[in-house]
Amino acid sequence: QVQLVESGGGLVQAGGSLRLSCVASGRIVSINDMAWYRQAPGKQREFVAAIADGGRTTYVESVKGRFTISRDNAKNTVYLQMNSLKPEDTAVYYCNADIASPGTRRINWGQGTQVTVSS
């Protein structure tokens, strides 16, 4: 069984920064792509950023130049550094990871962490 646990959310003023972390634990053989998604009130969950096990990154256009995704494979952790935050970044942020465990491979989700950006 695998768990993803996010942390680092909170309340910040527009223009501020936050760093989200997501740690994977459990019976892990390998971790492939890791990603962050977000869901604002009344909206569908949307892709924010992803990082492959080799380090290649992709971002949604609205966060390019402001957010940086990174990972520490030794710690089974993915980070999202968020700078120049805007009120429209307010959402619950979810971690997502493609994880191989003994005999299986599946996409796992964390429970989410709230990010609120005040204007």
Side-chain angles (χ1 to χ4, degrees):
Q1 192 153 351
V2 172
Q3 268 194 318
L4 296 179
V5 178
E6 301 102 332
S7 62
L11 173 64
V12 64
Q13 287 190 329
S17 298
L18 283 174
R19 189 193 194 206
L20 305 183
S21 300
C22 173
V23 181
S25 62
R27 301 186 70 197
I28 296 171
V29 173
S30 63
I31 303 178
N32 303 294
D33 291 358
M34 304 183 83
W36 289 95
Y37 285 72
R38 65 186 179 187
Q39 187 165 18
K43 295 188 177 182
Q44 289 190 331
R45 190 173 298 189
E46 68 167 352
F47 168 81
V48 176
I51 184 167
D53 56 355
R56 180 176 55 88
T57 59
T58 56
Y59 298 91
V60 68
E61 192 64 35
S62 61
V63 308
K64 284 182 179 178
R66 300 188 299 121
F67 291 10
T68 302
I69 189 170
S70 61
R71 63 191 287 172
D72 184 334
N73 291 330
K75 296 182 179 179
N76 291 338
T77 300
V78 63
Y79 305 97
L80 186 67
Q81 178 65 46
M82 304 186 294
N83 298 328
S84 302
L85 282 160
K86 304 175 181 180
E88 51 263 44
D89 295 317
T90 295
V92 178
Y93 283 70
Y94 296 92
C95 173
N96 165 296
D98 177 4
I99 297 176
S101 299
T104 188
R105 175 176 173 177
R106 56 168 292 187
I107 303 297
N108 297 269
W109 289 90
Q111 81 290 349
T113 186
Q114 177 70 47
V115 172
T116 303
V117 184
S118 63
S119 56

